[in-house]
Amino acid sequence: VSADFQGQGIFKKLFEEVLKRYEKQVQAFILWSDLHEMYKKYDFLPLKSMIQTGEKNFSKPQGYQETTFSKLSLSEKNEMTKLYQIMSKSYQTLKRTPEDWERIYAITSTKLFIARNSQDQLTRYFCLGKGMDLHDIIHEIGFSSEEEKLKLFKDLKDFKLWLPVSEKKNFPEAQELILALSRGKLPFFSSQKIYISGLDSI
């Protein structure tokens, strides 16, 4: 909601209408957010597991250029898409269509950090923040190889880095997320409303 129109109950009306309209058509509502208190008002329950690697406030590691998705050149967009696809081989991730990527490349509110090799090719990236949500939280990563993935983890592990469930090797202390979500089965929940903190991939 635009700042000029906040505080008038517009979001509340919209959100309640969406829930009402689809509650009989879906098995569960899954909301990705760190605004815990806000969504408690709508009876959403937090998923009990979250992979977060550190607690330090973010400061930009050496070797990264800060930009936004909307400022990427066409060649950088193609490289970014490839990094995401390579990362997807390590994780169970959400499939992105060309239309999804076009929407992502229009985003101006998320900080994007990219690293390049000596041939000026993108080798890894991460995203920080998401509009009015996910402040100081790294919520997406991408890399070109296992070696680049390890470099990324080394650079980011002390910050609030959120990772998909399948990252066990480098962070064995991470709790198990409920993989039944990805199969459309929710045996552990009596509620049909849950929100996921720290999960871009299910």
Side-chain angles (χ1 to χ4, degrees), residues 1 6 34-35 109 130-135:
V1 178
Q6 290 175 10
D34 65 340
L35 301 179
S109 58
K130 182 174 167 284
M132 297 179 67
D133 205 347
L134 306 186
H135 295 291

mmCIF file of all heavy atoms in Angstrom, residues 1 6 34-35 109 130-135:
data_model
loop_
_atom_site.group_PDB
_atom_site.id
_atom_site.type_symbol
_atom_site.label_atom_id
_atom_site.label_comp_id
_atom_site.label_asym_id
_atom_site.label_seq_id
_atom_site.Cartn_x
_atom_site.Cartn_y
_atom_site.Cartn_z
ATOM 1 N N VAL A 1 0.856 -1.188 0.000
ATOM 2 C CA VAL A 1 0.000 0.000 0.000
ATOM 3 C C VAL A 1 0.891 1.237 0.000
ATOM 4 O O VAL A 1 1.802 1.357 0.811
ATOM 5 C CB VAL A 1 -0.936 0.006 1.231
ATOM 6 C CG1 VAL A 1 -1.782 1.267 1.255
ATOM 7 C CG2 VAL A 1 -1.817 -1.233 1.237
ATOM 8 N N GLN A 6 -1.623 4.440 3.662
ATOM 9 C CA GLN A 6 -1.492 3.497 4.769
ATOM 10 C C GLN A 6 -2.276 3.985 5.982
ATOM 11 O O GLN A 6 -2.552 5.174 6.121
ATOM 12 C CB GLN A 6 -0.010 3.315 5.127
ATOM 13 C CG GLN A 6 0.752 2.552 4.060
ATOM 14 C CD GLN A 6 2.248 2.469 4.326
ATOM 15 O OE1 GLN A 6 2.708 2.825 5.394
ATOM 16 N NE2 GLN A 6 2.992 2.011 3.337
ATOM 17 N N ASP A 34 8.956 -12.141 7.359
ATOM 18 C CA ASP A 34 9.496 -12.117 8.712
ATOM 19 C C ASP A 34 8.690 -11.167 9.597
ATOM 20 O O ASP A 34 9.097 -10.850 10.703
ATOM 21 C CB ASP A 34 10.983 -11.707 8.711
ATOM 22 C CG ASP A 34 11.185 -10.281 8.232
ATOM 23 O OD1 ASP A 34 10.291 -9.735 7.565
ATOM 24 O OD2 ASP A 34 12.257 -9.705 8.525
ATOM 25 N N LEU A 35 7.522 -10.737 9.133
ATOM 26 C CA LEU A 35 6.664 -9.843 9.915
ATOM 27 C C LEU A 35 5.728 -10.682 10.785
ATOM 28 O O LEU A 35 4.522 -10.749 10.585
ATOM 29 C CB LEU A 35 5.873 -8.924 8.978
ATOM 30 C CG LEU A 35 6.721 -8.040 8.062
ATOM 31 C CD1 LEU A 35 5.837 -7.198 7.162
ATOM 32 C CD2 LEU A 35 7.657 -7.146 8.879
ATOM 33 N N SER A 109 13.456 -2.573 -5.075
ATOM 34 C CA SER A 109 13.541 -2.472 -3.614
ATOM 35 C C SER A 109 14.515 -3.454 -2.973
ATOM 36 O O SER A 109 14.923 -3.264 -1.829
ATOM 37 C CB SER A 109 12.155 -2.675 -2.995
ATOM 38 O OG SER A 109 11.637 -3.938 -3.377
ATOM 39 N N LYS A 130 13.684 -6.947 1.077
ATOM 40 C CA LYS A 130 12.606 -7.178 0.108
ATOM 41 C C LYS A 130 11.496 -6.179 0.388
ATOM 42 O O LYS A 130 10.564 -6.463 1.114
ATOM 43 C CB LYS A 130 12.096 -8.607 0.242
ATOM 44 C CG LYS A 130 11.019 -8.997 -0.742
ATOM 45 C CD LYS A 130 10.722 -10.480 -0.586
ATOM 46 C CE LYS A 130 9.461 -10.892 -1.306
ATOM 47 N NZ LYS A 130 8.247 -10.486 -0.586
ATOM 48 N N GLY A 131 11.625 -4.997 -0.180
ATOM 49 C CA GLY A 131 10.604 -3.983 0.030
ATOM 50 C C GLY A 131 10.503 -3.581 1.489
ATOM 51 O O GLY A 131 11.498 -3.243 2.125
ATOM 52 N N MET A 132 9.302 -3.666 2.038
ATOM 53 C CA MET A 132 9.078 -3.312 3.446
ATOM 54 C C MET A 132 9.283 -4.519 4.356
ATOM 55 O O MET A 132 9.007 -4.463 5.540
ATOM 56 C CB MET A 132 7.663 -2.751 3.615
ATOM 57 C CG MET A 132 7.435 -1.470 2.837
ATOM 58 S SD MET A 132 5.764 -0.844 3.009
ATOM 59 C CE MET A 132 5.758 -0.406 4.744
ATOM 60 N N ASP A 133 9.769 -5.607 3.807
ATOM 61 C CA ASP A 133 9.871 -6.876 4.515
ATOM 62 C C ASP A 133 11.321 -7.365 4.457
ATOM 63 O O ASP A 133 12.131 -6.872 3.687
ATOM 64 C CB ASP A 133 8.953 -7.878 3.814
ATOM 65 C CG ASP A 133 8.486 -9.000 4.711
ATOM 66 O OD1 ASP A 133 9.050 -9.162 5.787
ATOM 67 O OD2 ASP A 133 7.548 -9.702 4.317
ATOM 68 N N LEU A 134 11.661 -8.336 5.264
ATOM 69 C CA LEU A 134 12.966 -8.993 5.253
ATOM 70 C C LEU A 134 14.126 -8.012 5.390
ATOM 71 O O LEU A 134 15.113 -8.086 4.660
ATOM 72 C CB LEU A 134 13.143 -9.834 3.975
ATOM 73 C CG LEU A 134 12.060 -10.855 3.663
ATOM 74 C CD1 LEU A 134 12.443 -11.696 2.461
ATOM 75 C CD2 LEU A 134 11.751 -11.746 4.842
ATOM 76 N N HIS A 135 14.016 -7.107 6.332
ATOM 77 C CA HIS A 135 15.090 -6.145 6.565
ATOM 78 C C HIS A 135 16.343 -6.860 7.061
ATOM 79 O O HIS A 135 16.281 -7.702 7.945
ATOM 80 C CB HIS A 135 14.652 -5.100 7.598
ATOM 81 C CG HIS A 135 13.522 -4.250 7.115
ATOM 82 N ND1 HIS A 135 13.664 -3.334 6.109
ATOM 83 C CD2 HIS A 135 12.224 -4.208 7.477
ATOM 84 C CE1 HIS A 135 12.509 -2.740 5.888
ATOM 85 N NE2 HIS A 135 11.611 -3.262 6.699
#
